[in-house]
């Protein structure tokens, strides 16, 4: 059996007397789309923060390509190939769309981001600008490339975040509630982009509350409740799991209907 790209083993995070994540285990393979769901406060974002290096685990381990990464700083984890998007769009208002995307490639430049933006690292800059343009086209922002980032719609801003993360050439991409605030049409477009990301061999781990968006998209779903994993399997099994229905989904008929709507 091949080594999983990302492996989380008995991952635990305590904040004083509160156990936010409790002995969590899961694995993620290249090109897989894995959903991480659960009620508010279940430990989903805390898990993301540990994988991305924002929090150090209290216990357990995180392995990337077989090597331990728990406890490494965020920039080192990003350099190794784990990128993330956030719940809220965070463009750099003083930069163009292309330069906003280029910021995501900062780990690929020997001269640092300052050298990129002032043009001193010319060879690297030319290559990374070409890749930034490719990512802008990939997410469908090509026609908006001359628009100030402050004039982008909310949905376009979300696509900019995705393009910026992709500019860093990730092997794993973490999405934190990517469908939040999007229209149904924008959700459909984003789902297609995420499928395209996975088709490039990039592993996708995403937190999402919109089951109509998530269940048809993910190949597998991990469910957390009070920091503990209560289910791990394909969406069809998750939507019918009594523990998941009781803790989170509520109405199994609605979950079935949501999957039919998005197919």
């Amino acid at each position: 059996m091949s080594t999983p790209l990302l492996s989380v083993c008995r991952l635990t995070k305590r904040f004083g007397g509160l156990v936010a994540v409790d002995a969590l285990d899961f694995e993620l393979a290249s090109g897989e789309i894995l959903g991480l769901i659960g009620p508010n406060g279940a430990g989903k974002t805390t898990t993301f923060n540990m994988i991305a290096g924002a929090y150090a685990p209290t216990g357990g381990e995180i392995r990337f390509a077989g090597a331990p990464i728990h406890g490494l700083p965020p920039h080192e984890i990003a350099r190794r190939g784990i990128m993330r998007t956030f719940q809220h769009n965070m463009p750099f208002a003083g930069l163009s769309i292309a330069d906003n995307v280029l910021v995501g490639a900062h780990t690929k430049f020997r001269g640092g981001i300052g050298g990129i933006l002032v043009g001193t690292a010319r060879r690297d800059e030319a290559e990374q600008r070409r890749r930034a343009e490719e990512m802008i086209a990939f997410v469908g922002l090509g026609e908006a490339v001359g628009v100030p980032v402050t004039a982008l719609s909310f949905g376009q801003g979300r696509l900019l975040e995705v393009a910026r993360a992709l500019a860093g050439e990730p092997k794993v991409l973490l999405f934190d509630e990517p469908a939040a605030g999007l229209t149904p049409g924008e959700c459909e477009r984003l789902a297609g982009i995420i499928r395209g990301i996975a088709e490039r061999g990039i592993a996708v781990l995403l937190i999402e509350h919109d089951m109509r968006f998530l269940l048809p998209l993910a190949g597998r779903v991990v469910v957390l409740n009070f920091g503990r994993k209560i289910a791990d399997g394909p969406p069809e099994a998750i939507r019918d799991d009594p523990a998941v229905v009781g803790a989170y989904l509520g109405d199994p008929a609605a979950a079935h209907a949501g999957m039919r709507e998005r197919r």
Side-chain angles (χ1 to χ4, degrees), residues 111 114-123 125:
I116 301 169
L117 297 179
V118 300
T120 56
R122 296 191 183 279
R123 183 179 301 174
E125 180 192 10

Side-chain angles (χ1 to χ4, degrees), residues 14-233:
R14 296 185 180 90
F15 296 98
L18 172 67
V19 182
V21 178
D22 190 0
L24 175 62
D25 296 306
F26 68 82
E27 295 179 345
L28 180 63
S30 298
E32 182 179 13
I33 301 175
L34 175 63
L36 186 63
I37 70 172
N40 289 331
K44 306 180 297 297
T45 298
T46 299
T47 298
F48 262 36
N49 284 334
M50 286 189 284
I51 294 172
Y55 294 162
T58 306
E61 65 176 19
I62 305 166
R63 289 184 172 268
F64 176 63
I69 62 168
H70 45 281
L72 293 178
H75 71 270
E76 177 60 25
I77 290 174
R79 188 187 68 80
R80 294 189 182 203
I82 299 178
M83 301 288 181
R84 72 177 295 179
T85 67
F86 294 86
Q87 294 179 13
H88 305 289
N89 298 340
M90 294 187 292
F92 294 92
L95 301 180
S96 67
I97 286 177
D99 282 345
N100 261 271
V101 174
L102 196 62
V103 168
H106 69 280
T107 61
K108 302 300 178 183
F109 285 83
R110 291 184 293 274
I113 191 62
I116 301 169
L117 297 179
V118 300
T120 56
R122 296 191 183 279
R123 183 179 301 174
D124 283 352
E125 180 192 10
E127 172 59 24
Q128 295 304 329
R129 283 194 180 278
R130 182 203 61 76
R131 179 167 176 80
E133 291 170 1
E134 178 190 343
M135 294 303 99
I136 288 168
F138 175 73
V139 302
L141 284 178
E143 294 183 357
V145 73
V147 175
V149 292
T150 52
L152 294 178
S153 69
F154 182 83
Q156 288 174 319
R158 183 60 47 84
L159 298 180
L160 178 62
E161 293 285 321
V162 176
R164 186 163 59 199
L166 288 171
E169 301 181 38
K171 297 180 177 66
V172 175
L173 188 49
L174 311 177
F175 284 93
D176 195 350
E177 296 190 38
L182 300 185
T183 67
E186 289 170 337
C187 284
E188 185 175 352
R189 181 181 182 184
L190 179 60
I193 291 169
I194 292 174
R195 290 189 181 98
I197 290 169
E199 288 169 1
R200 291 174 173 234
I202 300 169
V204 174
L205 177 61
L206 62 108
I207 295 171
E208 187 52 65
H209 284 292
D210 184 348
M211 294 300 101
R212 292 177 299 177
F213 176 82
L214 176 71
L215 294 180
L217 180 61
R220 187 162 57 90
V221 179
V222 168
V223 188
L224 299 183
N225 193 32
F226 295 110
R228 296 189 66 86
K229 183 172 75 172
I230 61 171
D232 182 345

